[in-house]
Amino acid sequence: ALIAAASGLVEPVAGLIGVSIVSVAQAFLPWGLGLAAGAMIYVVASDIIPDAHARINGGGKVSTGLMIGLAAMMFLDTTFG
């Protein structure tokens, strides 16, 4: 129990360091989030979509579902912003 409590003492210190870094680098957060989103889109486009086309007969259903989901997501984002 003492080791678990001692390991938890690091969290407040790391939290304060994280808050100070975020407050200093707040202008870079949108760029970082955009980079992360682009990386996720790359992973989906290069790995998941071709695998889904290979596993599902009639791969057009995969692309159609992807486009419908993307359109719904964009609609909800612009509507409820």
Side-chain angles (χ1 to χ4, degrees):
L2 291 175
I3 294 172
S7 69
L9 293 175
V10 177
E11 292 178 12
V13 175
L16 290 174
I17 292 171
V19 166
S20 64
I21 290 172
V22 167
S23 64
V24 169
Q26 193 170 6
F28 298 112
L29 286 178
W31 292 94
L33 292 172
L35 182 68
M40 192 62 209
I41 290 171
Y42 173 77
V43 167
V44 168
S46 69
D47 189 37
I48 296 174
I49 293 173
D51 189 39
H53 278 275
R55 290 179 183 225
I56 297 173
N57 293 334
K61 293 178 184 178
V62 173
S63 297
T64 303
L66 179 68
M67 291 300 119
I68 290 171
L70 180 62
M73 183 180 63
M74 292 304 295
F75 172 75
L76 291 172
D77 185 44
T78 56
T79 302
F80 298 116

